[in-house]
Amino acid sequence: MPPVNVNVAGLVIGRDASCGLIIGDVRASRQHAQLLFSSGTWFICDLGSANGTFVNGALVQQQALNPGDRIQIGDTEFVFRVV
């Protein structure tokens, strides 16, 4: 998958067509999580999803991200990288 550009407002990840990153995963909520950049740090924030958002295997509500972190939404896994 090619890199995804995120604007300052953030990037919503989920199944809904309105999301900036749409994933076809039935275990993902329509609007599952959001990537945000604040004070020089990237964060992932769960948006009240049914199945949770995981970073490196741990369930999180909000988590600062580091390059190489593994984000799991439903059965879909991403590796976080800053390009």
Side-chain angles (χ1 to χ4, degrees), residues 9-67:
L11 174 82
V12 176
I13 304 167
R15 290 185 291 118
D16 194 81
S18 67
C19 293
L21 179 57
I22 302 167
I23 55 175
D25 184 328
V26 297
R27 293 194 63 233
S29 295
R30 288 186 296 274
Q31 293 186 338
H32 194 104
Q34 185 172 25
L35 286 175
L36 299 169
F37 186 73
S38 178
S39 301
T41 302
W42 285 99
F43 293 89
I44 190 155
C45 303
D46 187 86
L47 297 176
S49 68
N51 293 312
T53 300
F54 295 81
V55 175
N56 299 324
L59 180 64
V60 300
Q61 290 299 311
Q62 178 175 310
Q63 175 72 40
L65 295 172
N66 296 301

